[in-house]
Amino acid sequence: MSGRKTRRWIGLLILLVIILAGGGIAYVRMNAAPPEVDEKNLAAVVRGDLARSVVATGVVEPISNRIEIRSKASGIVEKIHVDVGDKVSAGQVLVELDRYQLMAQLREA
């Protein structure tokens, strides 16, 4: 039984030393001299609008020139209506799939 009491007192003593050390460090940091600020880095406070403009010259280039086109439907491509580098618009037909195989899948369903 005395071994347990001794360990308990030692543990409490170590905890007390840790708490006192932390309090001492906090006290020293709180009472330290504030950092010096150079007067030429200060400016007067003025209320007003904030507006910035940036002018830059150059060429805007894409990060990647490759895109992937995926279809919801799978099948054999029968006809391709565009070539590499062609400009396309929204809704334009790019490829046609083999309808015979698609009709067979529809009948199975």
XYZ file of all heavy atoms in Angstrom:
825
model
N 0.821 -1.193 0.000
C 0.000 0.000 0.000
C 0.864 1.256 0.000
O 0.500 2.214 -0.641
C -0.910 0.017 1.232
C -2.076 -0.887 1.115
S -3.425 0.068 0.511
C -4.700 -1.083 0.753
N 1.962 1.248 0.694
C 2.785 2.451 0.735
C 3.424 2.718 -0.619
O 3.731 3.852 -0.942
C 3.852 2.334 1.829
O 4.781 1.316 1.482
N 3.626 1.665 -1.442
C 4.174 1.852 -2.786
C 3.221 2.631 -3.674
O 3.626 3.475 -4.470
N 1.941 2.358 -3.540
C 0.941 3.084 -4.332
C 0.876 4.544 -3.919
O 0.757 5.431 -4.744
C -0.431 2.445 -4.148
C -0.583 1.142 -4.867
C -1.991 0.649 -4.727
N -2.134 -0.644 -5.354
C -3.218 -1.368 -5.301
N -4.273 -0.934 -4.625
N -3.286 -2.535 -5.891
N 0.935 4.796 -2.601
C 0.886 6.174 -2.109
C 2.110 6.957 -2.582
O 2.008 8.120 -2.960
C 0.799 6.201 -0.584
C -0.559 5.819 -0.047
C -0.599 5.974 1.443
C -1.954 5.606 1.983
N -2.043 5.765 3.434
N 3.258 6.303 -2.570
C 4.488 6.968 -3.001
C 4.402 7.327 -4.488
O 4.770 8.428 -4.882
C 5.700 6.053 -2.758
O 5.714 5.658 -1.378
C 6.984 6.778 -3.088
N 3.922 6.396 -5.292
C 3.772 6.669 -6.717
C 2.779 7.799 -6.960
O 2.972 8.631 -7.843
C 3.295 5.404 -7.445
C 4.393 4.435 -7.692
C 3.917 3.344 -8.621
N 4.507 2.088 -8.166
C 3.986 0.905 -8.304
N 2.820 0.777 -8.883
N 4.600 -0.164 -7.865
N 1.711 7.805 -6.195
C 0.697 8.851 -6.343
C 1.298 10.219 -6.010
O 1.078 11.195 -6.719
C -0.489 8.563 -5.433
C -1.615 9.575 -5.615
C -2.817 9.280 -4.759
N -3.411 8.008 -5.173
C -4.177 7.247 -4.405
N -4.422 7.629 -3.164
N -4.677 6.128 -4.842
N 2.090 10.310 -4.925
C 2.708 11.574 -4.538
C 3.736 12.022 -5.584
O 3.824 13.213 -5.891
C 3.377 11.472 -3.161
C 2.384 11.610 -2.029
C 1.905 10.626 -1.233
C 1.729 12.806 -1.645
N 0.987 11.124 -0.351
C 0.869 12.482 -0.590
C 1.772 14.122 -2.069
C 0.068 13.426 0.036
C 0.986 15.055 -1.434
C 0.139 14.704 -0.399
N 4.461 11.084 -6.109
C 5.450 11.431 -7.141
C 4.731 11.948 -8.388
O 5.138 12.937 -8.985
C 6.351 10.217 -7.473
C 7.260 9.909 -6.287
C 7.177 10.471 -8.724
C 8.080 8.644 -6.441
N 3.653 11.299 -8.783
C 2.873 11.750 -9.933
C 2.308 13.142 -9.725
O 2.349 13.987 -10.621
N 1.768 13.404 -8.541
C 1.228 14.729 -8.234
C 2.334 15.785 -8.220
O 2.137 16.906 -8.684
C 0.497 14.709 -6.895
C -0.852 13.981 -6.878
C -1.403 13.920 -5.454
C -1.835 14.680 -7.790
N 3.503 15.428 -7.716
C 4.629 16.352 -7.677
C 5.096 16.700 -9.092
O 5.349 17.868 -9.406
C 5.787 15.741 -6.869
C 6.999 16.628 -6.640
C 6.596 17.875 -5.860
C 8.090 15.876 -5.926
N 5.176 15.697 -9.959
C 5.567 15.942 -11.357
C 4.529 16.822 -12.041
O 4.868 17.761 -12.764
C 5.753 14.602 -12.109
C 6.994 13.884 -11.582
C 5.855 14.821 -13.612
C 7.165 12.482 -12.117
N 3.237 16.564 -11.828
C 2.171 17.370 -12.408
C 2.251 18.815 -11.925
O 2.106 19.754 -12.711
C 0.812 16.757 -12.060
C -0.418 17.453 -12.623
C -0.386 17.392 -14.152
C -1.683 16.823 -12.092
N 2.543 19.008 -10.634
C 2.674 20.348 -10.073
C 3.858 21.090 -10.693
O 3.750 22.277 -11.033
C 2.832 20.263 -8.551
C 2.943 21.592 -7.805
C 1.660 22.391 -7.988
C 3.242 21.358 -6.349
N 4.975 20.406 -10.895
C 6.155 21.030 -11.508
C 5.837 21.442 -12.951
O 6.213 22.536 -13.385
C 7.368 20.062 -11.455
C 8.505 20.561 -12.325
C 7.835 19.892 -10.018
N 5.124 20.597 -13.701
C 4.760 20.917 -15.078
C 3.844 22.134 -15.122
O 4.017 23.035 -15.951
C 4.108 19.702 -15.767
C 5.148 18.595 -15.972
C 3.478 20.095 -17.098
C 4.565 17.293 -16.462
N 2.860 22.192 -14.243
C 1.935 23.318 -14.208
C 2.667 24.612 -13.854
O 2.461 25.653 -14.480
C 0.775 23.048 -13.227
C -0.124 21.950 -13.781
C -0.028 24.316 -12.954
C -1.188 21.471 -12.816
N 3.563 24.553 -12.861
C 4.311 25.743 -12.465
C 5.247 26.205 -13.585
O 5.393 27.409 -13.841
C 5.100 25.481 -11.184
C 4.257 25.370 -9.908
C 5.133 24.999 -8.718
C 3.533 26.679 -9.641
N 5.889 25.280 -14.272
C 6.780 25.644 -15.373
C 5.988 26.300 -16.500
O 6.411 27.320 -17.067
C 7.523 24.417 -15.882
N 4.827 25.761 -16.848
C 3.988 26.350 -17.887
C 3.508 27.736 -17.495
O 3.501 28.663 -18.308
N 3.118 27.898 -16.245
C 2.685 29.216 -15.770
C 3.821 30.220 -15.804
O 3.626 31.386 -16.147
N 5.020 29.798 -15.454
C 6.176 30.697 -15.480
C 6.510 31.138 -16.892
O 6.788 32.321 -17.142
N 6.471 30.199 -17.839
C 6.748 30.542 -19.238
C 5.690 31.505 -19.762
O 6.004 32.492 -20.433
C 6.814 29.265 -20.100
C 8.055 28.449 -19.721
C 6.820 29.605 -21.577
C 8.103 27.075 -20.341
N 4.424 31.268 -19.437
C 3.346 32.155 -19.881
C 3.506 33.548 -19.281
O 3.322 34.558 -19.971
C 1.992 31.565 -19.506
N 3.893 33.633 -18.016
C 4.084 34.929 -17.349
C 5.214 35.723 -18.003
O 5.080 36.920 -18.248
C 4.373 34.706 -15.863
C 4.618 35.979 -15.108
C 3.555 36.808 -14.736
C 5.908 36.385 -14.767
C 3.770 37.980 -14.057
C 6.137 37.558 -14.091
C 5.062 38.357 -13.742
O 5.287 39.526 -13.068
N 6.316 35.051 -18.306
C 7.452 35.729 -18.931
C 7.072 36.236 -20.319
O 7.411 37.362 -20.700
C 8.672 34.770 -19.007
C 9.759 35.339 -19.891
C 9.201 34.493 -17.610
N 6.356 35.445 -21.098
C 5.968 35.872 -22.452
C 4.964 37.019 -22.417
O 4.989 37.898 -23.271
C 5.381 34.701 -23.225
C 6.441 33.710 -23.604
C 5.978 32.832 -24.688
N 7.062 31.934 -25.066
C 7.091 31.278 -26.186
N 6.102 31.405 -27.031
N 8.093 30.494 -26.472
N 4.054 37.006 -21.455
C 3.057 38.070 -21.371
C 3.682 39.394 -20.955
O 3.225 40.455 -21.358
C 1.945 37.686 -20.396
C 1.013 36.615 -20.938
S -0.220 36.073 -19.761
C -1.119 37.564 -19.473
N 4.727 39.364 -20.128
C 5.340 40.587 -19.622
C 6.561 41.004 -20.431
O 7.256 41.943 -20.047
C 5.725 40.414 -18.153
C 4.490 40.333 -17.278
O 3.477 40.945 -17.572
N 4.572 39.556 -16.220
N 6.828 40.350 -21.541
C 7.958 40.724 -22.388
C 7.655 42.042 -23.083
O 6.500 42.413 -23.289
C 8.234 39.626 -23.407
N 8.699 42.753 -23.483
C 8.525 44.035 -24.174
C 7.888 43.791 -25.533
O 8.250 42.845 -26.233
C 9.873 44.717 -24.335
N 6.942 44.642 -25.926
C 6.307 44.469 -27.240
C 7.337 44.735 -28.347
O 8.282 45.496 -28.144
C 5.197 45.504 -27.248
C 5.567 46.508 -26.218
C 6.403 45.788 -25.201
N 7.145 44.149 -29.504
C 8.097 44.371 -30.599
C 8.043 45.818 -31.081
O 6.995 46.465 -31.066
C 7.614 43.411 -31.692
C 6.190 43.153 -31.369
C 6.072 43.248 -29.880
N 9.190 46.335 -31.500
C 9.270 47.715 -31.964
C 8.803 47.790 -33.425
O 9.146 46.941 -34.238
C 10.699 48.226 -31.854
C 11.169 48.327 -30.410
C 12.574 48.893 -30.311
O 13.019 49.542 -31.272
O 13.203 48.673 -29.285
N 8.022 48.847 -33.726
C 7.504 49.057 -35.072
C 8.142 50.322 -35.624
O 8.133 51.376 -34.980
C 5.958 49.194 -35.058
C 5.429 49.476 -36.451
C 5.337 47.949 -34.473
N 8.679 50.211 -36.834
C 9.308 51.361 -37.474
C 8.230 52.362 -37.898
O 7.236 51.991 -38.519
C 10.116 50.887 -38.683
C 11.013 51.975 -39.233
O 11.169 53.010 -38.553
O 11.561 51.782 -40.338
N 8.416 53.627 -37.582
C 7.408 54.654 -37.869
C 7.158 54.833 -39.363
O 6.062 55.193 -39.770
C 7.844 55.997 -37.255
C 7.861 56.006 -35.745
C 6.474 55.897 -35.150
O 5.520 56.426 -35.747
O 6.346 55.279 -34.089
N 8.146 54.575 -40.200
C 7.937 54.781 -41.635
C 7.066 53.686 -42.258
O 6.607 53.832 -43.375
C 9.276 54.869 -42.370
C 10.103 53.616 -42.313
C 11.413 53.833 -43.024
C 12.274 52.587 -42.897
N 13.587 52.773 -43.464
N 6.796 52.612 -41.525
C 5.922 51.549 -42.015
C 4.467 51.760 -41.602
O 3.617 50.939 -41.913
C 6.396 50.191 -41.513
C 7.709 49.771 -42.134
O 8.035 50.170 -43.239
N 8.468 48.965 -41.417
N 4.182 52.857 -40.904
C 2.824 53.151 -40.449
C 2.167 54.155 -41.375
O 2.825 54.970 -42.014
C 2.856 53.701 -39.025
C 3.414 52.759 -37.943
C 3.426 53.466 -36.606
C 2.597 51.488 -37.863
N 0.835 54.097 -41.456
C 0.078 55.035 -42.275
C -1.170 55.442 -41.502
O -1.658 54.713 -40.639
C -0.311 54.410 -43.600
N -1.696 56.609 -41.835
C -2.915 57.089 -41.183
C -4.120 56.327 -41.738
O -4.162 55.963 -42.916
C -3.080 58.581 -41.427
N -5.109 56.113 -40.902
C -6.331 55.424 -41.316
C -7.253 56.422 -42.001
O -7.538 57.484 -41.463
C -7.039 54.794 -40.089
C -8.346 54.143 -40.509
C -6.133 53.813 -39.398
N -7.689 56.081 -43.216
C -8.568 56.955 -43.988
C -9.715 56.106 -44.523
O -9.499 55.028 -45.066
C -7.798 57.599 -45.171
C -8.723 58.469 -46.001
C -6.617 58.389 -44.670
N -10.945 56.607 -44.360
C -12.106 55.890 -44.877
C -12.288 56.261 -46.344
O -12.173 57.416 -46.727
C -13.356 56.264 -44.096
C -14.578 55.488 -44.526
C -15.787 55.856 -43.699
N -15.628 55.508 -42.309
C -16.001 54.356 -41.751
N -16.555 53.440 -42.504
N -15.837 54.127 -40.480
N -12.556 55.239 -47.187
C -12.756 55.494 -48.602
C -12.988 54.199 -49.350
O -13.037 53.119 -48.764
N -13.148 54.319 -50.659
C -13.362 53.150 -51.501
C -12.017 52.515 -51.841
O -11.007 53.207 -51.974
C -14.087 53.530 -52.787
C -15.504 54.004 -52.515
O -16.068 53.595 -51.490
O -16.036 54.783 -53.330
N -12.054 51.221 -52.021
C -10.849 50.487 -52.374
C -11.020 49.950 -53.783
O -11.946 49.202 -54.070
C -10.634 49.317 -51.397
C -9.414 48.456 -51.625
C -8.155 49.286 -51.447
C -9.401 47.298 -50.661
N -10.160 50.359 -54.683
C -10.244 49.907 -56.073
C -8.832 49.627 -56.565
O -7.921 50.403 -56.343
C -10.913 50.958 -56.939
N -8.667 48.502 -57.209
C -7.369 48.124 -57.783
C -7.598 47.693 -59.219
O -8.600 47.060 -59.540
C -6.755 46.951 -57.020
C -6.467 47.203 -55.585
C -5.108 47.747 -55.445
N -4.854 47.986 -54.021
C -3.730 48.380 -53.555
N -2.729 48.583 -54.363
N -3.574 48.594 -52.278
N -6.670 48.005 -60.086
C -6.730 47.498 -61.451
C -5.358 46.960 -61.808
O -4.338 47.482 -61.386
C -7.154 48.598 -62.423
O -6.184 49.624 -62.429
N -5.367 45.911 -62.596
C -4.132 45.258 -63.003
C -4.132 45.164 -64.518
O -5.119 44.752 -65.127
C -4.018 43.843 -62.380
C -2.777 43.145 -62.875
C -4.031 43.937 -60.875
N -3.050 45.553 -65.123
C -2.911 45.465 -66.570
C -1.779 44.493 -66.858
O -0.683 44.609 -66.301
C -2.599 46.848 -67.186
C -2.399 46.734 -68.675
C -3.709 47.830 -66.854
N -2.054 43.514 -67.694
C -1.039 42.530 -68.055
C -1.113 42.276 -69.552
O -2.186 42.261 -70.142
C -1.263 41.233 -67.279
N 0.041 42.099 -70.158
C 0.077 41.777 -71.572
C 0.637 40.380 -71.739
O 1.406 39.905 -70.910
C 0.962 42.773 -72.342
O 2.278 42.728 -71.792
C 0.416 44.179 -72.235
N 0.226 39.712 -72.774
C 0.720 38.369 -73.016
C -0.303 37.548 -73.765
O -1.303 38.061 -74.261
N -0.034 36.281 -73.824
C -0.893 35.347 -74.540
C -1.473 34.364 -73.539
O -0.751 33.818 -72.708
C -0.082 34.589 -75.618
C -0.950 33.574 -76.322
C 0.509 35.567 -76.612
N -2.760 34.140 -73.622
C -3.410 33.149 -72.774
C -3.377 31.823 -73.512
O -3.874 31.715 -74.635
C -4.865 33.548 -72.449
C -5.539 32.482 -71.626
C -4.889 34.883 -71.736
N -2.763 30.830 -72.892
C -2.665 29.514 -73.512
C -3.324 28.478 -72.608
O -3.201 28.562 -71.384
C -1.205 29.134 -73.732
C -0.497 30.028 -74.729
C 0.933 29.597 -74.973
O 1.329 28.526 -74.476
O 1.652 30.337 -75.649
N -4.010 27.495 -73.202
C -4.634 26.457 -72.384
C -3.578 25.561 -71.749
O -2.466 25.415 -72.273
C -5.495 25.679 -73.384
C -4.826 25.891 -74.693
C -4.241 27.269 -74.636
N -3.916 24.973 -70.625
C -3.009 24.050 -69.952
C -2.861 22.776 -70.767
O -1.785 22.239 -70.927
C -3.532 23.732 -68.536
C -3.488 24.997 -67.680
C -2.713 22.642 -67.880
C -4.138 24.850 -66.335
N -3.961 22.314 -71.316
C -3.933 21.075 -72.086
C -4.745 21.263 -73.370
O -5.797 21.888 -73.366
C -4.528 19.931 -71.266
O -4.649 18.774 -72.059
N -4.262 20.708 -74.457
C -4.982 20.795 -75.723
C -5.839 19.564 -75.976
O -6.466 19.459 -77.013
C -3.992 20.961 -76.886
C -3.325 22.317 -76.841
O -3.881 23.262 -76.310
N -2.135 22.405 -77.385
N -5.843 18.634 -75.071
C -6.577 17.384 -75.269
C -7.828 17.357 -74.409
O -7.820 17.787 -73.265
C -5.705 16.190 -74.884
C -4.474 16.093 -75.725
C -3.754 14.847 -75.421
N -3.432 14.260 -76.720
C -2.967 13.077 -76.878
N -2.785 12.303 -75.843
N -2.680 12.619 -78.062
N -8.882 16.862 -75.002
C -10.117 16.644 -74.263
C -10.587 15.230 -74.539
O -10.204 14.617 -75.531
C -11.225 17.650 -74.659
C -11.539 17.526 -76.149
C -10.834 19.057 -74.317
C -12.797 18.249 -76.543
N -11.382 14.718 -73.647
C -11.943 13.383 -73.833
C -13.433 13.515 -74.085
O -14.122 14.264 -73.405
C -11.715 12.532 -72.586
C -10.277 12.133 -72.389
C -10.106 11.201 -71.199
O -11.074 10.499 -70.837
O -9.017 11.192 -70.640
N -13.910 12.796 -75.080
C -15.336 12.783 -75.394
C -15.853 11.395 -75.049
O -15.332 10.399 -75.533
C -15.583 13.099 -76.879
C -15.057 14.493 -77.201
C -17.055 12.991 -77.209
C -15.124 14.844 -78.651
N -16.859 11.352 -74.222
C -17.442 10.074 -73.818
C -18.919 10.086 -74.156
O -19.581 11.103 -74.105
C -17.250 9.850 -72.328
C -15.785 9.712 -71.964
C -15.638 9.348 -70.527
N -14.222 9.218 -70.222
C -13.715 9.427 -69.050
N -14.489 9.776 -68.053
N -12.424 9.287 -68.846
N -19.420 8.907 -74.459
C -20.819 8.784 -74.823
C -21.541 7.960 -73.765
O -20.957 7.078 -73.139
C -20.926 8.085 -76.177
O -22.267 7.799 -76.464
N -22.815 8.230 -73.598
C -23.626 7.421 -72.698
C -23.961 6.079 -73.346
O -24.168 5.097 -72.671
C -24.918 8.153 -72.342
C -24.696 9.371 -71.486
C -26.029 10.027 -71.157
C -25.824 11.280 -70.346
N -27.066 11.978 -70.076
N -24.019 6.070 -74.677
C -24.351 4.848 -75.414
C -23.049 4.177 -75.868
O -22.095 4.843 -76.239
C -25.211 5.174 -76.626
N -23.036 2.872 -75.831
C -21.869 2.148 -76.325
C -22.269 1.386 -77.584
O -23.414 0.997 -77.753
C -21.360 1.173 -75.265
O -22.346 0.228 -74.948
N -21.324 1.210 -78.473
C -21.606 0.497 -79.711
C -20.474 0.673 -80.697
O -19.454 1.279 -80.408
N -20.686 0.177 -81.897
C -19.679 0.256 -82.950
C -19.889 1.561 -83.711
O -21.002 1.879 -84.133
C -19.797 -0.953 -83.901
C -19.524 -2.231 -83.118
C -18.840 -0.811 -85.064
C -19.788 -3.491 -83.913
N -18.797 2.317 -83.904
C -18.873 3.581 -84.623
C -19.009 3.283 -86.111
O -18.193 2.569 -86.695
C -17.607 4.442 -84.348
C -17.624 5.700 -85.208
C -17.516 4.792 -82.880
N -20.051 3.829 -86.721
C -20.297 3.603 -88.142
C -19.723 4.727 -88.995
O -19.127 4.483 -90.038
C -21.806 3.479 -88.390
C -22.168 3.087 -89.801
C -23.648 2.834 -89.927
O -24.126 1.830 -89.365
O -24.322 3.665 -90.562
N -19.886 5.979 -88.540
C -19.428 7.104 -89.334
C -18.946 8.218 -88.412
O -19.594 8.518 -87.411
C -20.573 7.601 -90.211
C -20.173 8.550 -91.284
C -21.368 8.814 -92.199
C -20.913 9.617 -93.409
N -22.042 9.898 -94.290
N -17.812 8.855 -88.756
C -17.274 9.980 -87.998
C -17.460 11.239 -88.840
O -17.033 11.292 -89.987
C -15.782 9.764 -87.675
C -15.600 8.487 -86.855
C -15.214 10.968 -86.936
C -14.162 8.124 -86.580
N -18.102 12.254 -88.272
C -18.443 13.465 -89.012
C -17.429 14.600 -88.846
O -17.550 15.624 -89.508
C -19.824 13.976 -88.598
C -20.927 13.041 -88.966
N -21.412 12.924 -90.243
C -21.645 12.155 -88.215
C -22.373 12.028 -90.275
N -22.536 11.544 -89.058
N -16.460 14.480 -87.950
C -15.482 15.543 -87.713
C -14.073 14.976 -87.762
O -13.862 13.779 -87.572
C -15.719 16.240 -86.355
C -17.017 17.006 -86.341
C -15.671 15.258 -85.210
N -13.107 15.855 -88.017
C -11.699 15.487 -88.001
C -11.011 16.165 -86.832
O -11.562 17.084 -86.208
C -11.019 15.936 -89.305
C -11.373 15.035 -90.479
O -11.578 13.829 -90.244
O -11.447 15.547 -91.613
N -9.784 15.755 -86.562
C -8.993 16.364 -85.503
C -8.748 17.821 -85.860
O -8.361 18.150 -86.981
C -7.650 15.610 -85.334
C -6.775 16.316 -84.319
C -7.887 14.182 -84.923
N -9.001 18.720 -84.913
C -8.780 20.144 -85.126
C -9.994 20.896 -85.627
O -9.956 22.122 -85.720
N -11.082 20.204 -85.999
C -12.288 20.890 -86.457
C -12.972 21.579 -85.283
O -12.958 21.078 -84.152
C -13.282 19.899 -87.080
C -12.833 19.394 -88.438
O -11.852 19.931 -88.969
O -13.473 18.455 -88.952
N -13.575 22.721 -85.550
C -14.366 23.394 -84.523
C -15.761 22.798 -84.533
O -16.340 22.568 -85.594
C -14.428 24.888 -84.789
C -13.093 25.568 -84.562
C -13.225 27.051 -84.642
C -11.873 27.682 -84.346
N -11.944 29.132 -84.295
N -16.287 22.532 -83.355
C -17.626 21.945 -83.236
C -18.487 22.873 -82.404
O -17.992 23.695 -81.637
C -17.570 20.530 -82.599
C -16.825 19.569 -83.495
C -16.950 20.559 -81.222
N -19.786 22.730 -82.530
C -20.721 23.532 -81.749
C -21.611 22.598 -80.937
O -21.684 21.398 -81.196
C -21.558 24.409 -82.681
O -22.272 23.598 -83.589
N -22.291 23.173 -79.983
C -23.167 22.393 -79.111
C -24.296 21.776 -79.930
O -24.900 22.440 -80.772
C -23.740 23.276 -78.016
N -24.554 20.498 -79.724
C -25.631 19.803 -80.414
C -25.235 19.206 -81.745
O -26.042 18.537 -82.386
N -24.011 19.444 -82.185
C -23.559 18.908 -83.460
C -23.284 17.411 -83.338
O -22.748 16.950 -82.351
C -22.268 19.625 -83.892
C -21.719 19.158 -85.214
C -20.441 19.904 -85.580
O -20.086 20.890 -84.957
N -19.769 19.411 -86.597
N -23.691 16.640 -84.351
C -23.458 15.194 -84.362
C -21.990 14.950 -84.699
O -21.487 15.414 -85.715
C -24.371 14.494 -85.390
C -24.054 13.009 -85.446
C -25.826 14.716 -85.036
N -21.296 14.228 -83.831
C -19.884 13.941 -84.046
C -19.676 12.585 -84.703
O -18.883 12.455 -85.628
C -19.125 14.009 -82.719
C -19.226 15.332 -81.940
C -18.491 15.228 -80.628
C -18.722 16.485 -82.764
N -20.391 11.572 -84.202
C -20.266 10.224 -84.760
C -21.646 9.585 -84.822
O -22.560 9.974 -84.109
C -19.324 9.323 -83.915
C -17.910 9.834 -83.919
C -19.820 9.160 -82.511
N -21.767 8.573 -85.674
C -22.982 7.764 -85.721
C -22.616 6.352 -85.324
O -21.596 5.813 -85.758
C -23.562 7.760 -87.145
C -24.208 9.054 -87.534
C -24.848 8.963 -88.911
O -25.239 7.860 -89.336
O -24.943 10.014 -89.557
N -23.460 5.751 -84.499
C -23.243 4.371 -84.083
C -24.010 3.427 -84.999
O -24.995 3.812 -85.638
C -23.687 4.181 -82.626
C -22.944 5.015 -81.579
C -23.533 4.757 -80.205
C -21.462 4.716 -81.583
N -23.581 2.165 -85.048
C -24.232 1.140 -85.856
C -25.623 0.887 -85.280
O -25.770 0.411 -84.155
C -23.383 -0.136 -85.842
C -23.972 -1.224 -86.719
O -24.772 -0.893 -87.617
O -23.603 -2.394 -86.511
N -26.655 1.203 -86.038
C -28.034 1.105 -85.553
C -28.517 -0.336 -85.466
O -29.382 -0.644 -84.667
C -28.958 1.914 -86.450
C -28.675 3.382 -86.338
C -29.653 4.191 -87.106
N -29.304 5.604 -86.913
C -29.700 6.556 -87.685
N -30.478 6.282 -88.713
N -29.355 7.787 -87.454
N -28.004 -1.214 -86.287
C -28.443 -2.602 -86.278
C -28.202 -3.234 -84.905
O -29.080 -3.856 -84.335
C -27.708 -3.397 -87.376
C -28.114 -4.851 -87.426
C -29.347 -5.228 -87.957
C -27.274 -5.839 -86.932
C -29.731 -6.551 -87.986
C -27.645 -7.163 -86.957
C -28.873 -7.521 -87.481
O -29.242 -8.845 -87.512
N -27.018 -3.031 -84.379
C -26.686 -3.602 -83.065
C -27.500 -2.917 -81.966
O -27.964 -3.565 -81.032
C -25.192 -3.444 -82.795
C -24.725 -4.176 -81.551
C -23.230 -4.012 -81.308
O -22.596 -3.115 -81.837
N -22.686 -4.891 -80.501
N -27.698 -1.608 -82.068
C -28.474 -0.889 -81.060
C -29.932 -1.330 -81.051
O -30.550 -1.459 -79.990
C -28.385 0.629 -81.295
C -27.006 1.252 -81.066
C -27.024 2.721 -81.469
C -26.587 1.101 -79.621
N -30.520 -1.571 -82.240
C -31.907 -2.052 -82.317
C -32.040 -3.439 -81.704
O -33.038 -3.732 -81.052
C -32.384 -2.039 -83.767
C -32.510 -0.636 -84.361
S -33.584 0.446 -83.415
C -35.171 -0.221 -83.823
N -31.030 -4.287 -81.903
C -31.060 -5.622 -81.313
C -31.031 -5.522 -79.779
O -31.744 -6.255 -79.101
C -29.886 -6.449 -81.811
N -30.217 -4.623 -79.252
C -30.159 -4.430 -77.789
C -31.489 -3.889 -77.289
O -31.950 -4.272 -76.201
C -29.020 -3.468 -77.418
C -27.640 -4.058 -77.602
C -26.551 -3.034 -77.312
O -26.819 -1.864 -77.079
N -25.315 -3.494 -77.347
N -32.138 -3.005 -78.045
C -33.423 -2.459 -77.651
C -34.485 -3.554 -77.612
O -35.281 -3.623 -76.670
C -33.815 -1.343 -78.616
C -35.157 -0.668 -78.334
C -35.122 0.030 -76.993
C -35.531 0.279 -79.444
N -34.478 -4.441 -78.603
C -35.464 -5.529 -78.618
C -35.230 -6.486 -77.445
O -36.183 -7.001 -76.876
C -35.372 -6.293 -79.947
C -36.062 -5.565 -81.099
C -36.183 -6.459 -82.316
N -34.875 -6.864 -82.837
C -34.205 -6.237 -83.794
N -34.727 -5.150 -84.328
N -33.042 -6.672 -84.200
N -33.957 -6.699 -77.084
C -33.662 -7.586 -75.941
C -34.209 -7.008 -74.643
O -34.691 -7.730 -73.795
C -32.141 -7.748 -75.797
C -31.584 -8.908 -76.551
C -30.103 -9.071 -76.281
O -29.667 -8.755 -75.174
O -29.408 -9.514 -77.195
N -34.113 -5.709 -74.525
C -34.541 -5.060 -73.296
C -36.061 -5.147 -73.167
O -36.629 -5.301 -72.160
C -34.102 -3.604 -73.276
